[in-house]
Amino acid sequence: MDDLDQSILAQLAQDARMSVAMLARRLKVARSTVQARLERLESSGAIAGYTLRLGETARLSLIRTTVLLVIEPRSLPGILARLRTMPQVERIHTTSGRVDLLLQLGTSSTAQLDDILDRIGGIEGVRSSESLIHLSTKLDRAV
C-alpha cells in the first residue's frame, strides 16, 4: 500500500460516500486511477466495505458494554456461531491474557442488556463472563 492508497483510505474514512470524481479532484489524480486503486483495495481486503458510522446523537441512545469471556478449550467455533446470531453483539475480539474473548455490545435498555448477558452466559462452553458498562467516551479515533 503506497501513499496514494493511504490518502484514498484517509479521505474515505472521513466521508465514505465521497464520489470517485471528488476523490480524484482532492488527490489530484485521474478518475480512472482512483477507480483502479479502489478496485484493488477492495479485492485485496484493505477495504472490507462501506458502512454508516453513527454520530454521537445516535450512539448516546445505546448502552455500550464490553464483555470479557473465559471459554472452555476447543469451544470457540460453537460460541462464535451463537454470538454471531445476536444483533446486539457488535464486535468480537480474541485476546491474549486472562480472558479469551472480548465482546462489544450495543443495547437499547438495561433490560435488553440483562437478557443478552444471560444468553451469552448460558452458551455451552462459556466458563465465566465479566461485563463493563461504558459510561462516557473521552476519545474515539476509530475509523
Side-chain angles (χ1 to χ4, degrees):
M1 199 175 311
D2 64 11
D3 288 343
L4 180 56
D5 291 337
Q6 293 289 346
S7 296
I8 290 170
L9 293 176
Q11 290 291 316
L12 289 175
Q14 291 178 356
D15 180 4
R17 294 176 42 163
M18 188 179 303
S19 69
V20 173
M22 177 62 76
L23 274 169
R25 276 194 299 278
R26 286 191 179 179
L27 299 172
K28 296 179 174 68
V29 296
R31 185 183 183 286
S32 59
T33 300
V34 172
Q35 186 64 48
R37 293 294 185 109
L38 283 172
E39 288 172 9
R40 190 171 49 79
L41 289 166
E42 290 167 359
S43 65
S44 72
I47 295 177
Y50 300 86
T51 186
L52 172 71
R53 183 173 176 198
L54 296 177
E56 192 62 26
T57 304
R59 286 189 293 182
L60 287 176
S61 66
L62 292 177
I63 298 169
R64 298 282 182 197
T65 307
T66 295
V67 179
L68 308 173
L69 292 183
V70 176
I71 65 173
E72 298 285 340
R74 294 178 297 282
S75 63
L76 183 62
I79 291 171
L80 289 177
R82 291 281 309 278
L83 291 172
R84 286 183 179 126
T85 67
M86 302 175 183
Q88 298 85 0
V89 177
E90 297 176 336
R91 290 187 177 88
I92 304 171
H93 301 279
T94 57
T95 65
S96 63
R98 66 179 184 84
V99 299
D100 301 302
L101 294 175
L102 182 147
L103 315 178
Q104 182 177 327
L105 309 181
T107 58
S108 60
S109 67
T110 55
Q112 186 182 54
L113 175 58
D114 191 37
D115 176 62
I116 196 74
L117 290 174
D118 285 345
R119 289 173 47 208
I120 290 169
I123 297 173
E124 187 175 333
V126 172
R127 278 190 186 169
S128 67
S129 68
E130 179 180 349
S131 56
L132 309 161
I133 296 174
H134 303 196
L135 299 177
S136 65
T137 301
K138 303 301 183 190
L139 176 68
D140 183 0
R141 290 189 180 145
V143 178

